[in-house]
């Protein structure tokens, strides 16, 4: 790591991160959090008499994971002040995620004006894929509007990293406007920004995604996404990838990334997970990180046995954010990211159940030999 300039800045090549001592938060996430309902095991929603309750959201998951790893994190959103909304609040507070910037909407007794979004998720097995069905229309988060959050006040307190993404931007025009408001304030106060493209075809179409996202990219330092994300959200093609993504050509992906950073020179880091699906429970898993002109390939986890693949990408995002925030080299960052994503898929639910000792064990090449 190279240290230059003010004592209040650390720099990893051209990636500048505020010093922890001058900041209140290591990372804040902006987005929607939902309640997830899943049948036990590999059951089907249609036939299950019991549903397990989990909490998760693409942006929320990153703040939650980093809090478990010992960093100071917070979550920015809008929820409903009722027992379902408090499931999320309690879940965040349990690991120390700050929720003081969450706007709590009054419950109208029906959920006609605002509600908590739900998703119903089946965990696949064999040739049957995992499936998520959304029930998130008219959610409190989707009804966010500019000026609901005083982002200037928030970021003036010192926030080292803001993480957000395309799921939140896709919820409504209001959310897209709030997101831009947050990015402008973040850059004004020297906060690094990561953005997970996270294309969801059920939320918006490619033309809308591209129109909105191209207005946001100039404020982003770190872009995260897979082949489909870059194609649908930014309009960049990855050549030589088969339709089912059963095998991935990393050279084709790297060529696409070169096009992205040429078009958007403010983007200093680009990350992606590489998942080769063998079955619902067996995947090959690895990651690539581009940092300031150089690509770094992670360790490859071949034939990774998966308990629940949902949230693996957020595990990757939180893993490399942890690396950068704690002063690790780019190679260490991508290895931490891949290891954390692999570990996260060993447990049920969207959010991390991984602690720092476990992460460092796998990151260091440790085995799954029993500990006792």
């Amino acid at each position: 790591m190279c240290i230059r300039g003010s004592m209040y800045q650390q720099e990893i090549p051209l990636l500048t991160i505020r010093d922890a001592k001058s900041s209140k938060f290591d990372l804040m996430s902006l987005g929607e959090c939902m309640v997830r309902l899943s049948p036990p095991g590999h059951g089907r929603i249609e036939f299950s008499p019991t549903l397990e309750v989990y909490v998760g959201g693409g942006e929320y998951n990153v703040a939650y994971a980093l809090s478990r790893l010992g960093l100071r994190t917070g979550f920015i959103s809008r929820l409903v002040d009722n027992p379902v909304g408090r499931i999320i609040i309690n879940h965040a507070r349990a690991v120390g995620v700050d929720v003081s910037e969450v706007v709590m909407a009054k419950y109208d007794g029906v959920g006609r004006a605002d509600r908590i979004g739900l998703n119903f998720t089946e965990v696949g097995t064999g040739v049957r894929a995992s499936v998520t069905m959304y029930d998130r229309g008219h959610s409190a988060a989707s009804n966010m509007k500019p000026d609901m959050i005083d982002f200037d006040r928030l970021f003036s307190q010192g926030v080292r990293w803001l993480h957000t993404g395309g799921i939140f931007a896709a919820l409504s025009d209001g959310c897209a406007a709030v997101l831009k408001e947050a990015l402008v304030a973040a850059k004004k106060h020297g906060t690094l920004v990561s953005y997970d493209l996270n294309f969801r075809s059920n939320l918006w179409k490619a033309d809308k995604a591209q129109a909105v996202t191209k207005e946001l990219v100039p404020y982003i330092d770190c872009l995260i996404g897979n082949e489909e994300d870059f194609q649908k959200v930014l309009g960049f093609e990855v050549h030589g990838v088969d339709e089912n993504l059963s095998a991935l050509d990393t050279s084709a992906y790297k060529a696409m990334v070169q096009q992205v950073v040429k078009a958007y020179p403010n983007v200093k880091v680009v990350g992606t997970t590489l998942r080769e699906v063998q079955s619902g429970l067996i995947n090959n898993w690895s990651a690539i990180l581009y940092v300031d002109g150089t690509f770094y390939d992670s360790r490859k986890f071949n034939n990774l046995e998966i308990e629940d693949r949902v949230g693996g990408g957020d595990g990757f995002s939180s893993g490399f954010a942890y690396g950068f925030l704690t002063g690790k080299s780019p190679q260490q960052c991508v290895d931490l990211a891949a290891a954390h994503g692999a570990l996260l898929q060993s447990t049920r639910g969207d959010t991390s159940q991984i602690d720092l000792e476990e992460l460092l064990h796998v990151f260091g090449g440790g085995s799954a030999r029993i500990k006792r």
Side-chain angles (χ1 to χ4, degrees):
M1 183 178 70
C2 172
I3 304 294
R4 298 197 299 264
S6 167
M7 64 178 291
Y8 297 111
Q9 303 290 334
Q10 82 173 17
E11 295 188 4
I12 300 175
L14 297 180
L15 188 63
T16 303
I17 308 176
R18 290 181 59 107
D19 182 78
K21 293 181 181 178
S22 66
S23 304
K24 181 177 180 180
F25 294 102
D26 295 306
L27 179 140
M28 296 288 294
S29 283
L30 167 64
E32 179 173 32
C33 190
M34 297 182 292
V35 169
R36 165 182 157 177
L37 303 173
S38 290
H42 302 285
R44 308 306 302 268
I45 294 166
E46 182 180 358
F47 300 105
S48 182
T50 304
L51 296 174
E52 299 172 341
V53 179
Y54 299 96
V55 169
E59 302 84 9
Y60 170 85
N61 296 346
V62 173
Y64 187 92
L66 288 175
S67 188
R68 283 192 53 81
L69 297 179
L71 298 187
R72 303 162 299 168
T73 73
F75 179 55
I76 311 164
S77 191
R78 187 168 180 265
L79 299 172
V80 179
D81 191 6
N82 65 14
V84 183
R86 287 192 288 274
I87 291 173
I88 297 171
I89 292 293
N90 294 341
H91 186 262
R93 285 176 173 162
V95 298
V97 175
D98 186 285
V99 290
S100 60
E101 299 298 335
V102 174
V103 176
M104 299 300 290
K106 184 177 180 180
Y107 182 48
D108 63 10
V110 179
R112 184 176 292 110
D114 293 292
R115 58 187 289 265
I116 298 298
L118 305 177
N119 76 73
F120 295 83
T121 296
E122 295 178 355
V123 177
T125 183
V127 297
R128 178 161 61 86
S130 294
V131 175
T132 293
M133 184 189 79
Y134 290 138
D135 180 22
R136 67 195 301 175
H138 310 290
S139 68
S142 71
N143 291 329
M144 289 185 76
K145 300 288 189 296
D147 299 323
M148 280 186 173
I149 306 288
D150 187 347
F151 288 111
D152 193 63
R153 174 193 55 77
L154 170 61
F155 289 111
S156 69
Q157 300 175 63
V159 178
R160 303 177 70 200
W161 191 300
L162 171 67
H163 179 74
T164 186
I167 295 177
F168 182 63
L171 294 179
S172 67
D173 290 343
C175 286
V178 169
L179 203 154
K180 185 170 183 179
E181 183 183 43
L183 297 187
V184 170
K187 299 315 293 181
K188 174 183 174 182
H189 292 283
T191 298
L192 185 139
V193 175
S194 62
Y195 187 95
D196 194 331
L197 295 169
N198 255 341
F199 180 71
R200 297 292 185 269
S201 60
N202 288 328
L203 296 180
W204 59 0
K205 302 304 180 187
D207 56 349
K208 176 72 170 180
Q210 291 179 29
V212 170
T213 310
K214 287 178 180 178
E215 294 292 316
L216 304 175
V217 178
Y219 302 94
I220 295 167
D221 302 286
C222 306
L223 271 177
I224 304 156
N226 61 26
E227 307 78 20
E228 182 186 29
D229 294 329
F230 280 97
Q231 177 184 344
K232 301 292 188 181
V233 182
L234 289 180
F236 291 92
E237 296 288 341
V238 181
H239 300 287
V241 177
D242 71 276
E243 182 179 355
N244 295 316
L245 301 180
S246 60
L248 302 176
D249 181 356
T250 59
S251 63
Y253 175 80
K254 291 175 180 178
M256 180 274 297
V257 170
Q258 296 282 16
Q259 297 177 45
V260 173
V261 297
K262 183 177 181 180
Y264 300 103
N266 56 288
V267 174
K268 305 303 180 187
V269 174
V270 181
T272 193
T273 58
L274 301 174
R275 184 192 296 274
E276 298 171 350
V277 177
Q278 309 302 314
S279 74
L281 297 179
I282 303 292
N283 289 182
N284 295 330
W285 168 266
S286 61
I288 296 175
L289 201 63
Y290 166 96
V291 183
D292 190 29
T294 302
F295 287 96
Y296 300 87
D297 296 272
S298 79
R299 164 190 172 187
K300 190 168 187 177
F301 294 85
N302 287 316
N303 299 314
L304 179 68
E305 298 177 40
I306 293 173
E307 176 66 23
D308 183 355
R309 65 168 284 171
V310 178
D314 301 324
F316 163 77
S317 299
S318 46
F320 88 72
Y322 176 84
F324 281 125
L325 286 165
T326 56
K328 303 296 189 294
S329 70
Q331 183 63 57
Q332 291 173 317
C333 288
V334 73
D335 285 329
L336 282 164
H340 192 256
L343 279 165
L344 194 141
Q345 293 172 83
S346 71
T347 60
R348 292 277 296 205
D350 299 30
T351 52
S352 174
Q353 297 177 29
I354 309 308
D355 62 30
L356 184 58
E357 181 182 359
E358 291 173 314
L359 174 58
L360 295 180
H361 175 74
V362 174
F363 164 70
S367 73
R369 183 182 177 91
I370 189 170
K371 298 179 181 179
R372 57 186 176 185

